[in-house]
Amino acid sequence: MKKKVLSMTAFAAIGSAFLFHSHASADEIKVQSGDSLWGLSKKYNLTTTELKSLNKLTSDTIRIGQTLYIPGKSAPVSSPAKPTSNKPSASAIVSTYKVESGDSLWKISTKFKLSIIDLKKLNNLDSDQIYAGQTLKVSGTSSTPTAPVETKPQPAPAPSTPSTGSQTNTYTVKGGDSLSKISRLFNVSVANLKAWNNLTSDAIFVNQVLTLHKASSASDSPSAPPSDNGIDVAKMISDAKTLMGIPYKWGGNTTSGFDCSGMINYVLNKQISVKRLTTADYWRMSTSVSDPQPGDIVFFTTYKAGPSHLGIYLGNRQFLHAGSSTGVTISSLDNSYWAPRYLGAKHFNNN
């Protein structure tokens, strides 16, 4: 009888240990607020790739309440969870997306029902360029607070008497300045800055005093060049801006989708009759200019040698174009992608 009692006691002990082990083993978990694939992979000694493969996930995005399979991995012992409030958290759960080959900001923004501007703001992007393997936030808040609006410095008046019909000012170069940055700040061209200051290169130094000239009657905004080809430049730019956000479409020249030359063709035909031209045609039919003015066409080399992309110059080194990854948008000539591909500006001749 003693032997039988001992056997039952041993069986009970083994069963108890088995039940305890089953309880401690975490085969399935529910995603909690603040969880991420990376955090869970560390917690259960897995890689994110293994975790995604086990749960057939195609991205790093997970959601609260989602059930994930964690086979045979012991979760660390933790103190009893504090009761959670039903009150929603002030900060949103951050979801991410890994960029795949062929993706663009426009494609991703459409997929996650965001605007391109919001997507760039969430990820602190200063251009439309992304790359395969890059991880982007598609919800939540940006990791850094919005920078305060920079106040435009007031240039000090020069000691000399201003010449008739113009105003002469000076500006002292600060750390991080460049001729391009100063030209945008004071709405003048780099060429004029160099001419006014007898500069033979773009090199400047901190505390250097630069001379600035502005016509006293001039507006702060860039003025449109006189029309010599039957085109009202102000209307041309206004018409082009109404197309912002329309997606890119190879060979497209309607509001359902544009390629770069199709967008130019559409805008020009609002005022004059122009047949469908290629980027190379516009390059051949236009006259080169050293200092582009609003309404001129800027050219770039992209997927092949020679002019293969173009846009409308807006002034202040900004241009409007139909980009293959962005649709119709405004970019800067100083953008890290466009700057090395810039071929120059030309004035379109309607001959």
Side-chain angles (χ1 to χ4, degrees), residues 313-333:
Y313 187 67
L314 304 177
N316 294 329
R317 301 187 64 76
Q318 304 288 307
F319 67 100
L320 188 146
H321 64 119
S324 60
S325 63
T326 60
V328 180
T329 189
I330 293 174
S331 299
S332 169
L333 291 178

Side-chain angles (χ1 to χ4, degrees), residues 187-267:
N187 193 30
V188 296
S189 69
V190 171
N192 281 340
L193 269 178
K194 292 170 74 172
W196 295 335
N197 294 277
N198 299 315
L199 302 176
T200 57
S201 74
D202 292 340
I204 54 176
F205 54 87
V206 175
N207 293 327
Q208 181 177 359
V209 178
L210 297 179
T211 299
L212 306 166
H213 294 285
K214 275 191 177 182
S216 57
S217 58
S219 165
D220 282 341
S221 58
S223 57
S227 176
D228 57 5
N229 55 7
I231 298 171
D232 180 334
V233 173
K235 174 173 169 51
M236 177 187 185
I237 291 175
S238 175
D239 288 340
K241 286 184 176 180
T242 65
L243 308 178
M244 293 276 290
I246 291 177
Y248 180 87
K249 181 180 180 183
W250 179 266
N253 65 341
T254 70
T255 52
S256 65
F258 290 109
D259 65 10
C260 59
S261 57
M263 189 272 293
I264 301 285
N265 177 261
Y266 180 88
V267 171

Side-chain angles (χ1 to χ4, degrees), residues 8 62 67 84 91 117 143 168 193 217 279 290 333 336 343:
M8 291 184 67
I62 54 176
T67 299
T84 56
S91 59
I117 292 174
S143 58
T168 303
L193 269 178
S217 58
T279 300
S290 58
L333 291 178
S336 59
L343 294 178

